[in-house]
Each structure stands twice: as C-alpha cells, then as structure tokens.
C-alpha cells in the first residue's frame, strides 16, 4: 500500500489524537528554543559544521579510526548493510552470545540487524521503552525519537497482559521485565548520536539510561553507526548537544548523555557503516547527510502528524525519510516525496538547515517519469495562444468529466466555479 | 517606476477579478503598471510535479525589463525567487510590495468586518512576510501591518493542506488539514477569512462549501480594494 491509503486508514483510527500529541511536543519545542536567544545562530553554526563534515568525510573517518584505536576501541569499517550484519555476528559468535540487549539505533533498523540475528539464533531485546513496545507488538518504530507514539496506553497494557492502564504503572512493569534482560544478556548493542573525530569517542544520548546499562553491564559492547555521525571535535559536539533534545522534545538536554572511550570490563567495537553514504556525497542529495536525527521535522510535519509514521513504510519516516527512502529504493518509495505540501515547516525547525523544499522538489523530479499530458501542457504555456486554446478546451469539458479527473479533490471539496471571462484575454 | 503586474495563470482562469483588483490597487497608488499580455505561467505546477520545465526562463524574458514585478500570489513569487534568474529579486507578492516598497500601513483599518488572516506557508515560511512560529525571531507580520486594525490569526500557523499536486494526490489528508484550519480560523470569531494566496483560499472555500460552513472567504486584494474603493455592488 502507498502512503495515501495507509494514511487514510491511520487517520480514521488514531489521527486526531496523534496530531494532538505531536503538536503538543512541537509547542514544547518552540517554547524551549525560545529560551536560547542565540538559537538561530546556533543553527547556522550547526549547519556549517555539518557542511564541513560532509566535505571532509574521508579525512574525518581516517582521523576517527586512528584515534579510536589509540583510545582502546576496535573499529571496523563496513561498506554495506550485509557487511555490517556479518561483522556484528562475527563478534557475537566469538563470545558465543545467545542474547543481546539493544538500545535504539536507526542504523541497525536500516540494516535489518534484528531479523538477521534472530535468524542466526541470537535473541535481540530492544530496551528503549518505546522500541520494546513496538517490538512486542511485532511492529517497526513509527517515529525516530518517539517510536511508539502511535500506540495508546491501552495498547501497551494489552501487550503486557495487564488490566491497569496507568502509564507510570506500565513503565515500572516494563522496567522490571527489562532489568532481567540486562542482567542476563551476553552483549550490548547500540547506536551512537555522534562520533568525535579528534578523540575517537562515541556519544550516546538516551532518556532512560538503558544504552548505558547495555554498554556497561555485558562484557561486549558493539556500536553500529553511520559515517555521517562524525563531528570534528568536542566544541562542535557542544553545539549539537545543546540543540538535539531541545529541538526534539523541548528538553534542555538528553537525560543521559554518555561519552564512550575504552571499555573497562571488556571489549568495545565500533562498526562504522557506509551503506551508500559516500556515494550520496556525490549526488544532489548530499545535504541529507547533515541530518542529526533530532526528529523535529517529523513532529512538525502536518502530514506526518495526520498520517502516522508507518504510512511512510521506511525506517525513517516523515520529511527526512521522504528524502532518504527513495534513495534506497526509488520505485518502492516514489510516492513519498509527494506526501508533502511543501509547507517548509521541516526546513524551519531543522537544526542543520537542510533545504527541504528544494530537496523534495528535486526528489520528485528524481522519482518521476516524464508525463506526456503535463509535457503538452508545459509546451502550450510557451505560447499564449496555445495556452488559451488548451484552457478553453478545459473550460468546455463537461463537469462530470472534470469531477472524475479531479476525483480526489471533488470527493471532499466543491470545485471552484469557472468564470466566463479571463483577465488577460487575447 | 516601471512595474509589471504578474497575473498567475490559475487566477486568470479561475478568479480574474483578483488580477483586476490588484491592478486597480496599484494604480490607486499612482503607479504606472503594465500587464504583459504574453505571460502564461511561472512554471510552479510543473516544478512541483517533478516535471522538467523552462517556464521560469520564459518568465524571466517577459519580465526582466521591469523594475518591479508584483503578484497577487506568494507561491508564484516564491517559485520565481527560488530560481537563479534576473527577475528573482524583483518579484514581490502584493502585500510585501505594499509593505516594503510603498510603505502602506493600516489600509483596511476601518474594514466593517472582523478579518481572520490565513498566513499561507509560502507567505510566512518561503517569503518570510511574517514570523513563522518555528523560528526564534521576534514576532512580526507584514500583511497585518498593511491591513491594520484588529486582525485575528489561527492558533496554529500550520499548512492548510492545499499543496497543489498534494490536494489531488492525497485528497483526504488534504481535506482533514483544511478542515482543522477552517475550524481554527472560524474559532477566532473572524467574519471574513483572507490570505495572500488564492490557492489556499480556493481549497478552504471548497471545503466550506461542501461542508456547509457559513463563512465568507476573500482574497486579500478584495479586502484592500474594498477598503480603498468601497464594496462593488
Ligand atoms: S532532517 Fe533536520 S529536523 Fe529532521 S531529523 Fe534530521 S536534523 Fe532533525
């Protein structure tokens, strides 16, 4: 099913509530960023740092690998999803791991790691509250920071087999269940929000502290991360840490912001993944590599708020997903760049100033084949007389025919009345 | 001042009155305004459909000799402004032109009805004719300044759901977005809804008509025209 059908279905079930909760978060975010007088100049700074990163990506990768090794972390470079999964499996097999605890990583979702490990007899327990909920429901996350925003407290009670729907009660219940998993896991897997090139460190931001448990308790910690997550140094890191949580949910900073170097009680491995990123550097969509996954563009998107994340069918939904998905599969996701009114709210909230309107329009061009009717219309508009003829034909078209042609419009809205005379009439 | 009136193709076809009133407004300010007869379309519908087009270049040829190009549409204005063309910096949406160049203020101060302003996305996010709620910049709104008096705005400055090709591809979502915009605007107690983009207004009108809402919807040029010349009978 395409975005549209899925969106209609979702809206009819849960749309108004979903819209309301995300709009509340958007308002919190608006309030929080207004507490930072230099917010707009921070955005400029963040955008410039990211421009620098993508222009110097290979150098930063080399620098990071060297420094991480010095810091006592093993680093493996993986060129694609398959290589990433194989690498993770290899490390897990070395210690004969049966169960791993994972904290949110969009990259492992991108690579299909959960399914791959399960197939290889390794149990994967997602440990972020929201991720765990969707995992138990047999679903994918619907938002990158609020993965279970599409569910209700009743949905959560149901999967836990509880009658009590009190959110605090349910959270405690889930925590109890997860605690056992942490203590019995053989390895911890996580993503990273940033990699600091000149230190060789990885930075992980979570609100539940679960990534820290996974990183510290088991003897092996594997970090899966895309190359674009690099930042040059700690000063640059500061810029992003100030913006990330504030822009996502209106928090001042993420509750647990941990910087990982050498692992004291075991081994830490970073799998640095390309999976098409270097290639994208040479495309007209290279600016998508600036994304820090704050999720603000999803939350603010008026279409996302009504359609829910699953309608996008890709790991990363919403505006940024509509740019990334077609790059991974042009045919399958060609409807996504059109699931957008080009309102540019995403562009206004984006901390790294990705030029969404321009990129989305380019993406439409990228996924669209030339349409003969539109081509003719375009041609006619080069000649006023031809254009007039073209529009006169449209005017003479009987209303029922027009209604069928514009059925998506006329099903919900009255068609405008066509006046007898034009203003410019030749 | 050599000024050209841009007549957006859909306005020419669907509501030519807007073009006529815009012309009369500009003339009222003593400007010498031409209407190039050979203009057709700025290319926006094609660009937004992902189709190749050279219409912006044609637009440039037609309008490049004018000092200003004034358009009663912020979406056409922003389409041209986002291209690298000689005309890009010379094109203004009507209210933007009145505000920035002619310094018009409070023109509709005594308008007899309470006005609810729909800030279209192209107006506030693409052209920055007002402060969008997403940015940390001081509040301002040029359209409100030009009109003057008590103008009410929707609580959410989000998109009305038109989006051109979007309204045809995703009719239902487009409708629910428009519906909440209408509810928001109606709840302000405004008696007439206005905005600088006829496209959004046409979409809202279509919903109001089908759903049977009793609300007047007028393009900004009509409000300004009536404020200057009185209502046409
Ligand atoms: S595109 Fe921008 S707003 Fe969206 S998630 Fe990435 S950084 Fe955040």
């Amino acid at each position: 099913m395409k975005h549209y059908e899925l969106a209609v279905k979702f809206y009819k079930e849960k749309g108004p509530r979903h819209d309301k909760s995300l709009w509340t978060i958007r308002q919190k975010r608006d309030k929080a960023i207004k507490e930072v007088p230099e917010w707009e100049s921070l955005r400029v700074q963040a955008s410039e740092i990211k421009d620098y990163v993508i222009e110097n990506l290979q150098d930063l990768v080399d620098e990071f690998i060297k420094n991480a090794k010095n810091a006592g972390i093993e680093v493996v470079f993986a060129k694609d999803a398959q290589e990433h999964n194989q690498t993770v499996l290899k490390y897990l097999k070395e210690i004969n791991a049966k169960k791993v605890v994972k904290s949110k990583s969009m990259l492992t979702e991108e690579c299909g790691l959960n399914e791959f490990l399960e197939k290889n007899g390794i149990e994967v327990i997602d440990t972020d509250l929201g991720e765990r909920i969707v995992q138990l429901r047999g679903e994918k996350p619907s938002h990158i920071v609020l993965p279970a925003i599409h569910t209700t407290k009743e949905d959560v009670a149901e999967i836990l087999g509880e009658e009590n729907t009190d959110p605090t009660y349910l959270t405690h219940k889930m925590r109890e269940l997860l605690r056992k998993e942490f203590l019995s896991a053989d390895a911890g897997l996580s993503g990273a929000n940033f990699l600091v090139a000149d230190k060789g460190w990885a930075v992980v931001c979570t609100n539940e502290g679960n990534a820290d448990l996974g990183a510290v308790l088991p003897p092996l910690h594997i970090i899966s991360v895309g190359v674009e997550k690099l930042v040059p140094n700690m000063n640059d890191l500061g810029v992003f840490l100030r913006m990330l949580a504030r822009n996502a949910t209106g928090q001042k900073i993420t509750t647990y912001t941990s910087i990982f170097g050498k692992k004291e009680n075991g081994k830490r491995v970073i799998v640095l993944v390309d999976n098409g990123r270097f290639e994208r550097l040479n495309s007209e969509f290279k600016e998508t590599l600036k994304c820090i996954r704050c999720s603000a563009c999803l939350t603010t998107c008026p279409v996302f708020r009504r359609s829910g994340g699953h309608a996008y069918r890709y790991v990363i939904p919403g505006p940024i997903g509509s740019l990334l998905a077609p790059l991974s599969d042009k045919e399958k996701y060609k409807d996504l760049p059109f699931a957008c009114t080009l309102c540019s709210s995403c562009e206004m909230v984006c901390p790294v100033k990705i030029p969404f309107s321009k990129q989305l329009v380019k993406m439409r061009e990228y996924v669209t084949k030339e349409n003969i009717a539109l081509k003719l219309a375009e041609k006619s508009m080069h000649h006023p007389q031809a254009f007039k003829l073209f529009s006169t034909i449209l005017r003479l078209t009987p209303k029922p025919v027009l209604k069928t042609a514009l059925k998506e419009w006329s099903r919900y809205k009255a068609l405008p009345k066509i006046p007898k005379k034009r203003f410019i009439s030749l | 001042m050599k000024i050209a009136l841009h007549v957006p193709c859909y306005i020419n076809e669907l509501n030519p009155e807007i073009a006529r009133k815009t012309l009369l407004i500009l003339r009222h300010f003593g400007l010498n305004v031409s209407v190039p007869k050979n203009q057709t379309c700025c290319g926006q519908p094609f660009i937004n459909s992902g189709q190749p087009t050279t219409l912006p270049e044609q637009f440039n040829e037609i309008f490049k000799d004018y000092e200003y190009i004034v358009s009663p549409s912020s979406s056409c204005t922003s389409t041209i402004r986002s291209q690298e063309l000689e005309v890009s910096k010379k094109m203004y949406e009507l209210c933007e032109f009145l505000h920035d160049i002619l310094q018009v203020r409070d023109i509709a101060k005594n308008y007899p009805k309470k006005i609810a302003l729909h800030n279209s996305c192209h107006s506030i996010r693409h052209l920055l004719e007002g402060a969008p709620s997403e940015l940390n910049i001081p509040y301002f709104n040029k359209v409100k300044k030009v009109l003057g008096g008590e103008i009410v705005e929707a609580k959410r400055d989000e998109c009305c759901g038109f989006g051109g090709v979007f309204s045809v591809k995703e009719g239902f979502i487009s409708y629910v977005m428009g519906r909440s915009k209408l509810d928001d605007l109606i709840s302000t107690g405004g008696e007439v809804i206005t905005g600088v983009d006829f496209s959004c207004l046409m979409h809202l009108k279509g919903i109001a008509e089908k759903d049977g809402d009793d609300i007047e919807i007028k393009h900004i040029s009509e409000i300004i025209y009536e404020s200057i010349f009185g209502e046409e009978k």
Side-chain angles (χ1 to χ4, degrees):
Chain A
M1 273 199 274
K2 292 288 180 202
H3 178 276
Y4 182 41
E5 285 113 58
L6 293 165
V8 174
K9 199 164 155 268
F10 178 81
Y11 188 83
K12 290 189 171 157
E13 278 168 29
K14 289 175 167 173
R17 189 194 61 90
H18 191 258
D19 171 45
K20 210 170 141 217
S21 17
L22 287 174
W23 183 258
T24 308
I25 294 170
R26 178 35 233 278
Q27 283 178 306
K28 273 195 196 153
R29 173 258 170 217
D30 291 350
K31 209 169 144 239
I33 67 127
K34 284 178 181 122
E35 287 162 6
V36 181
E38 68 276 31
W39 182 260
E40 296 304 325
S41 56
L42 272 182
R43 287 178 71 217
V44 173
Q45 219 180 325
S47 168
E48 284 171 359
I49 296 170
K50 278 290 173 179
D51 282 334
Y52 175 85
V53 170
I54 59 177
E55 289 311 324
N56 298 280
L57 195 55
Q58 187 60 57
D59 291 348
L60 287 167
V61 166
D62 296 342
E63 188 187 348
F64 177 78
I65 292 180
K66 190 181 97 222
N67 293 327
K69 281 183 181 155
N70 288 340
I73 310 176
E74 278 187 45
V75 186
V76 189
F77 187 84
K79 71 171 188 309
D80 55 22
Q82 206 194 347
E83 219 173 271
H84 162 263
N85 292 351
Q86 293 291 352
T87 309
V88 174
L89 182 65
K90 185 194 112 208
Y91 279 100
L92 292 176
K93 281 236 165 102
E94 267 174 20
I95 58 160
N96 203 14
K98 290 276 171 298
K99 187 198 309 190
V100 295
V101 281
K102 198 181 94 180
S103 176
K104 190 164 182 185
S105 158
M106 302 311 298
L107 184 77
T108 59
E109 292 284 345
E110 178 185 321
C111 297
L113 182 70
N114 281 22
E115 296 77 9
F116 175 82
L117 292 181
E118 304 274 353
K119 247 189 249 150
N120 282 280
I122 296 171
E123 192 187 356
V124 185
I125 309 287
D126 277 319
T127 62
D128 305 77
L129 182 57
E131 292 266 312
R132 185 63 179 151
I133 292 168
V134 295
Q135 189 182 36
L136 291 172
R137 282 167 59 91
E139 291 175 335
K140 292 283 176 199
S142 72
H143 183 284
I144 58 185
V145 169
L146 310 155
I149 186 76
H150 61 287
T151 61
T152 59
K153 53 188 197 298
E154 288 75 22
D155 293 336
V156 179
E158 193 190 317
I159 48 149
L160 291 180
E162 294 284 337
E163 284 192 356
N164 189 341
T165 58
D166 176 58
T168 315
Y169 171 79
L170 292 170
T171 311
H172 283 283
K173 202 78 219 162
M174 193 68 107
R175 182 183 291 174
E176 246 168 65
L177 294 171
L178 283 172
R179 188 59 43 115
K180 289 189 200 113
E181 308 286 2
F182 278 118
L183 292 169
S184 59
D186 303 305
L189 306 183
S190 76
N193 296 76
F194 306 98
L195 298 173
V196 187
D198 74 343
K199 299 280 184 202
W201 294 339
V203 184
V204 181
C205 307
T206 67
N207 277 320
E208 297 153 31
N210 53 324
D212 305 73
L213 287 175
V216 172
L217 286 175
L220 174 66
H221 176 211
I222 304 176
I223 298 177
S224 299
V225 58
V227 287
E228 83 283 12
K229 292 290 174 75
L230 277 157
V231 294
N233 55 48
M234 296 299 276
N235 281 343
D236 297 331
L237 175 69
V239 172
F240 295 110
L241 290 183
R242 287 187 72 194
M243 303 187 88
L244 183 66
R246 211 176 265 275
N247 206 40
T249 55
Q251 284 167 274
K252 288 187 171 52
I253 191 166
T254 324
T255 318
Y256 298 88
T257 298
S258 307
I259 300 184
F260 294 108
K262 181 179 164 49
K263 184 166 160 70
E264 299 302 334
N265 61 338
K267 181 145 82 176
R268 175 160 295 125
V269 182
I270 292 182
V271 190
L272 204 50
V273 183
D274 174 1
N275 207 29
R277 286 163 175 73
F278 271 103
E279 200 187 308
R280 215 190 311 155
L281 274 181
N282 302 315
S283 78
E284 48 186 5
F285 301 109
K286 73 173 174 191
E287 277 168 292
T288 57
L289 288 166
K290 292 164 78 174
C291 174
I292 60 168
R293 305 284 190 264
C294 71
S295 82
C297 59
L298 282 60
T299 303
T300 200
C301 175
V303 178
F304 179 94
R305 274 190 268 113
R306 270 114 183 151
S307 64
H310 289 149
Y312 295 80
R313 319 178 310 281
Y314 186 64
V315 220
I316 303 192
I320 183 66
S322 297
L323 291 174
L324 297 175
L327 293 172
S328 80
D329 190 333
K330 189 169 166 178
E331 201 37 47
K332 183 169 172 197
Y333 298 116
K334 64 177 182 207
D335 57 320
L336 293 184
F338 290 94
C340 161
T341 62
L342 298 177
C343 79
S344 276
S345 186
C346 48
E347 192 165 327
M348 301 284 108
V349 296
C350 182
V352 291
K353 291 180 160 269
I354 294 176
F356 273 98
S357 311
K358 281 200 171 137
Q359 293 267 288
L360 280 159
V361 162
K362 258 188 209 158
M363 189 50 81
R364 288 181 181 186
E365 210 178 308
Y366 175 74
V367 298
T368 310
K369 292 191 193 76
E370 209 170 39
N371 176 306
I372 301 297
L374 283 173
K375 191 176 176 161
L376 271 176
E378 204 268 347
K379 286 271 164 290
S380 84
M381 286 177 170
H382 284 279
H383 310 281
Q385 297 290 355
F387 177 46
K388 191 177 169 197
L389 180 69
F390 180 83
S391 84
T392 305
I393 294 171
L394 280 186
R395 274 163 193 255
L396 296 175
T397 313
K399 231 182 165 180
V401 178
L402 264 187
K403 271 200 164 162
T404 329
L406 293 170
K407 66 173 187 305
E408 270 306 303
W409 176 288
S410 51
R411 198 182 293 172
Y412 308 103
K413 300 168 228 176
L415 284 171
K417 286 172 198 56
I418 299 181
K420 285 204 182 65
K421 277 169 72 184
R422 300 178 179 87
F423 180 66
I424 299 183
S425 212
L426 300 154
Chain B
M1 245 197 265
K2 237 180 117 189
I3 296 173
L5 174 70
H6 167 242
V7 181
C9 55
Y10 71 102
I11 283 181
N12 199 35
E13 298 299 325
L14 300 173
N15 199 335
E17 271 299 285
I18 293 176
R20 186 178 73 89
K21 287 180 175 154
T22 306
L23 179 67
L24 294 175
I25 292 167
L26 294 171
R27 289 206 174 133
H28 166 78
F29 287 103
L31 301 171
N32 179 9
V33 188
S34 328
V35 185
K37 285 265 186 248
N38 49 347
Q39 58 176 308
T40 57
C41 169
C42 67
Q44 181 184 186
F46 304 98
I47 295 174
N48 291 355
S49 311
Q51 297 289 324
T53 175
T54 50
L55 287 168
E57 286 77 13
Q58 169 176 291
F59 185 98
N60 191 56
E61 280 309 305
I62 295 170
F63 287 101
K64 71 174 191 296
D65 293 331
Y66 294 94
E67 201 174 332
Y68 294 106
I69 303 131
V70 182
S71 172
S73 158
S74 73
S75 72
C76 308
T77 306
S78 84
T79 297
I80 291 300
R81 212 174 275 177
S82 65
Q83 313 277 322
E84 278 167 41
L85 299 167
E86 214 180 313
V87 288
S88 299
K89 287 204 172 67
K90 301 202 271 186
M91 183 152 172
Y92 284 79
E93 183 281 317
L94 171 66
C95 286
E96 203 184 21
F97 181 77
L98 293 178
H99 181 277
D100 293 1
I101 308 300
L102 300 185
Q103 314 262 326
V104 172
R105 302 286 183 271
D106 299 330
I107 194 152
K109 209 167 139 198
N110 298 318
Y111 197 77
K113 286 177 191 147
K114 189 164 170 182
I115 300 170
L117 173 66
H118 165 55
N119 291 301
S120 56
C121 303
H122 279 94
S123 168
I124 64 164
R125 300 203 174 81
H126 294 232
L127 299 182
L128 279 184
E129 288 189 83
S133 56
E134 295 93 340
L135 297 183
N136 186 359
I137 54 174
Y139 176 85
F140 70 98
N141 191 309
K142 293 182 185 176
V143 182
K144 274 172 84 174
K145 274 254 161 71
V146 167
L147 295 181
E150 193 210 347
I151 314 282
V152 285
E153 291 169 277
K155 279 185 222 71
R156 289 184 179 193
D157 67 343
E158 70 172 350
C159 177
C160 70
F162 171 64
V165 48
F166 179 80
S167 63
V168 184
K169 289 208 180 218
E170 300 224 16
F172 178 74
I173 299 296
S174 167
Y175 164 78
V176 294
M177 286 168 71
R179 190 62 254 171
S180 47
K181 191 84 222 184
L182 261 183
D183 291 339
D184 197 343
L185 285 165
I186 291 171
S187 76
T188 60
E191 295 158 287
V192 52
I193 296 174
T194 192
V196 304
D197 278 285
F198 173 59
S199 47
C200 308
L201 299 175
M202 181 175 74
H203 158 76
L204 294 175
K205 229 178 193 162
I207 294 172
E209 198 180 316
K210 193 135 187 168
D211 288 359
D213 289 288
D214 182 23
I215 183 84
E216 214 181 333
I217 301 179
K218 282 183 172 175
H219 185 259
I220 201 90
S221 63
E222 300 176 81
I223 304 267
I224 299 176
Y225 179 91
E226 284 166 26
S227 305
I228 299 173
F229 305 105
E231 200 164 349
E232 275 181 4
K233 290 280 169 288

